[in-house]
Amino acid sequence: MLRSWAHGTCYGLRRLLGGCLPVLLFSRPLLLLSLLLLGTNVTAQEPPRGRELVQRRVTLTQSAVGKPVEVHVATGSLSVLEFDSPVDRAGVKLGDARDRFELFVVNDRLVMLKPTGDVAAGEHVLLTVPFVDGMSPARAVFALLTNATQVDAQVQVSRLPRTAEAVQAELDEVRAACAGKDAELEALRARSVATGPSGMILAGTVDGSGVQAKALRNETALKPTDALNAARVIAFRGKGWVALSLEITNEGTVPWTPTEARLLPAGSGRSRAATVAMRELHIAPGGKALVVVETRDEDWPEGDARRVELRDSTGARRLLIPSLVF
């Protein structure tokens, strides 16, 4: 929790100092120096005896207008209030108790304070923070009081409602992530289907005619696409199915996982979706893996050419074999 508080304090200091210090510059020595420059001492930032430093978030609502939000403060402990909208600095009021705070700093988005003593039991100090944008609620009211078990080291105050555009953008991101996970799930399901002679016989995909196998020739020179290369292709044909075994090399710089495939006539015609299976989770950069593409009810007459395309879940990278003859 202390680490979380320190992280929040670093953020507050960067905002207070105008954002001029990048995150990477806030090393421990610089944090200590910054606290000293702000008129506080480092040892005072340890949690008071028996109290826990807390980081929390509050939301201002219309129904709660006029009702103060409690903020727990303690002797010598720095508390930071962070706002999501600009503060009217000149209008911030701290009752009649400014002399009871050794540090009270107001920024466009922050209020930092440190009391010289605990607030007496049953007493509270009102802090009023108005906003400059004219939106509702026009101000936030906080009741500063002492709690026996905790101190609010950082309070993030949310006031502005989320726009429909922001909600829609987040929804689109979630849908895209779900689509990717669905493709991965389908690939895992395909891998879990019973394999081997027993599974094929039970599924009726092998009968008395057996299985035909043939190393396919490529009618055009195989060239890598998107830094992906299929070095060897073997075709298998059974009753109502065709499977292609491809030895794929990833010549790119990032891992690649094929999750969908299609077989298309080399000239024109309807494409067919195919399942993709491999033992590895992905093909590492510079790595090689055996990938099996299977399609059911594929009418692939002897001597006909097919175009084969494999894609990852995002569609960003694909492997295209322009012409294979079975």
Side-chain angles (χ1 to χ4, degrees):
M1 181 61 68
L2 182 57
R3 180 179 300 174
S4 174
W5 171 87
H7 173 77
T9 303
C10 287
Y11 180 78
L13 289 170
R14 291 199 304 277
R15 297 291 296 272
L16 180 64
L17 297 176
C20 59
L21 297 177
V23 176
L24 293 178
L25 293 182
F26 265 86
S27 60
R28 181 179 177 84
L30 185 55
L31 171 61
L32 301 182
L33 177 60
S34 301
L35 291 172
L36 287 171
L37 292 175
L38 285 173
T40 176
N41 66 61
V42 175
T43 57
Q45 299 316 305
E46 295 297 327
R49 182 179 300 275
R51 291 173 181 155
E52 178 186 15
L53 294 176
V54 175
Q55 181 182 17
R56 65 190 180 95
R57 183 187 299 272
V58 298
T59 301
L60 304 178
T61 62
Q62 292 294 336
S63 60
V65 171
K67 182 179 180 181
V69 177
E70 291 188 357
V71 175
H72 301 143
V73 298
T75 304
S77 184
L78 183 68
S79 294
V80 179
L81 280 67
E82 178 184 355
F83 301 88
D84 64 353
S85 50
V87 169
D88 179 5
R89 300 170 62 179
V92 175
K93 296 180 180 179
L94 188 59
D96 298 324
R98 286 209 180 205
D99 58 339
R100 296 167 61 179
F101 289 80
E102 62 176 284
L103 176 67
F104 183 75
V105 179
V106 179
N107 198 289
D108 290 338
R109 302 265 181 169
L110 293 175
V111 174
M112 304 176 66
L113 47 86
K114 186 173 74 168
T116 56
D118 285 352
V119 179
E123 182 188 2
H124 64 262
V125 177
L126 288 181
L127 169 65
T128 303
V129 181
F131 303 102
V132 299
D133 54 14
M135 298 180 65
S136 183
R139 63 182 51 83
V141 180
F142 302 91
L144 308 181
L145 50 89
T146 298
N147 183 278
T149 61
Q150 64 183 29
V151 178
D152 289 326
Q154 183 184 26
V155 180
Q156 295 176 314
V157 183
S158 300
R159 166 176 170 263
L160 296 179
R162 301 179 64 192
T163 64
E165 291 78 8
V167 174
Q168 184 62 50
E170 183 175 341
L171 180 60
D172 291 341
E173 290 180 6
V174 172
R175 284 175 173 169
C178 289
K181 295 301 180 183
D182 287 343
E184 294 177 11
L185 180 59
E186 288 302 320
L188 291 173
R189 285 173 177 167
R191 294 173 198 167
S192 66
V193 173
T195 58
S198 298
M200 298 177 73
I201 292 171
L202 290 173
T205 56
V206 170
D207 59 9
S209 61
V211 177
Q212 300 175 357
K214 181 180 180 181
L216 300 190
R217 69 181 188 275
N218 184 43
E219 294 299 292
T220 58
L222 271 179
K223 297 180 180 180
T225 55
D226 287 335
L228 301 166
N229 189 17
R232 187 179 180 211
V233 182
I234 298 177
F236 300 85
R237 188 200 304 272
K239 183 181 178 182
W241 60 271
V242 172
L244 300 175
S245 169
L246 303 97
E247 192 174 83
I248 298 177
T249 302
N250 181 6
E251 300 174 355
T253 58
V254 295
W256 186 67
T257 303
T259 58
E260 57 180 287
R262 301 197 74 85
L263 271 65
L264 306 90
S268 61
R270 185 166 62 93
S271 67
R272 288 186 177 274
T275 60
V276 182
M278 66 178 187
R279 291 192 181 93
E280 298 79 5
L281 293 177
H282 60 257
I283 307 176
K288 182 185 297 185
L290 186 66
V291 178
V292 178
V293 175
E294 180 184 343
T295 180
R296 299 294 178 94
D297 301 319
E298 168 64 31
D299 182 17
W300 190 343
E302 185 175 351
D304 276 10
R306 290 289 185 274
R307 186 168 77 240
V308 181
E309 182 179 10
L310 288 85
R311 293 177 178 269
D312 59 17
S313 60
T314 66
R317 294 177 68 191
R318 64 171 186 164
L319 171 64
L320 177 63
I321 304 176
S323 181
L324 289 174
V325 176
F326 193 170

